[in-house]
Amino acid sequence: METPCGIVASMTATPRPGALGAFGPAAFQLVLLRRMADFQPDLAEEARLRLGATLAEQREANRRWQAMVRSPRSRGALARYRSVLGPPASAARRRIGDLECEALLWPVPLWPELRFEVLAAPDGAVWNEWLVRAPGARGPVLETAADLRPWSATVDEVARAFAPARPMEGTAPTRWRLAFTASGSPLVAEFTYGLLQRVSPYSAL
């Protein structure tokens, strides 16, 4: 059975989140999965088990992440990501319209062909934070609505495949939505941290 977005079959190289004193990449992956479980609980549970983490460890990871986000002593989102994920695998200047930012990429072991991308303004403010396809990695073939499987594509990939797609307000800070037409039907795709979770008829939302 094909695993969505290439989740690896063994995570032996990734330390158990509960075994780490400091909050690091393994625990951060549990935070991503906690949010994705709202849409795809079975996929999220399978991925959690591949990380070797218990539900209690996932709850603790999420609690610690939320505490860092909400702490009045927080140094800002970019500093938090650097502290948790370590030095980025790559960093490049990017221009979006008239604005210039820095695009930083970190590997995510659960999804080897994806990267966690943070777009940061010159003053360090974070503009966007989500999963994107890794440079050079082959993306999915998206031609019909049937190709839009959970965890198979990113926001940019769906937007390009079914242009013109219309961005819609997400239901939470880590969620995005796109309205578009595929196979002759108006649809809405929902994403968590930039990764596709589900597709519904537009009229159902």
Side-chain angles (χ1 to χ4, degrees):
M1 180 177 178
E2 182 181 356
T3 308
C5 258
I7 298 178
V8 293
S10 173
M11 295 301 299
T12 54
T14 302
R16 287 184 67 241
L20 298 177
F23 191 103
F28 180 69
Q29 290 177 102
L30 291 179
V31 174
L32 300 183
L33 293 175
R34 180 70 180 269
R35 300 277 67 84
M36 293 181 189
D38 295 339
F39 292 101
Q40 298 294 334
D42 292 342
L43 287 178
E45 181 181 17
E46 179 186 353
R48 175 180 59 79
L49 293 175
R50 293 186 190 282
L51 283 173
T54 66
L55 274 173
E57 289 168 345
Q58 184 175 40
R59 294 191 196 98
E60 176 62 13
N62 190 67
R63 184 196 67 78
R64 292 176 66 182
W65 176 255
Q66 293 301 324
M68 285 188 283
V69 170
R70 297 170 182 170
S71 171
R73 299 186 299 275
S74 174
R75 294 175 294 169
L78 182 57
R80 181 169 62 251
Y81 283 122
R82 288 183 179 275
S83 173
V84 168
L85 301 177
S90 67
R93 306 303 297 178
R94 184 181 301 175
R95 182 169 291 278
I96 303 176
D98 295 332
L99 303 175
E100 189 174 87
C101 64
E102 185 176 26
L104 302 98
L105 296 177
W106 284 270
V108 186
L110 273 175
W111 297 281
E113 66 276 9
L114 298 181
R115 296 292 182 267
F116 189 76
E117 179 186 73
V118 172
L119 298 181
D123 64 358
V126 169
W127 290 348
N128 200 23
E129 50 210 304
W130 61 5
L131 293 164
V132 299
R133 192 69 50 184
R138 186 176 181 179
V141 176
L142 304 176
E143 296 177 342
T144 70
D147 297 325
L148 295 167
R149 300 183 303 277
W151 293 17
S152 67
T154 65
V155 172
D156 285 347
E157 290 167 340
V158 174
R160 287 195 303 267
F162 300 100
R166 179 170 59 89
M168 301 175 65
E169 184 176 356
T171 55
T174 60
R175 296 177 182 175
W176 290 260
R177 297 195 297 169
L178 287 177
F180 57 94
T181 299
S183 304
S185 301
L187 303 171
V188 172
E190 297 181 81
F191 304 80
T192 298
Y193 281 108
L195 191 61
L196 179 64
Q197 301 298 312
R198 70 182 179 190
V199 178
S200 306
Y202 184 85
S203 58
L205 298 176

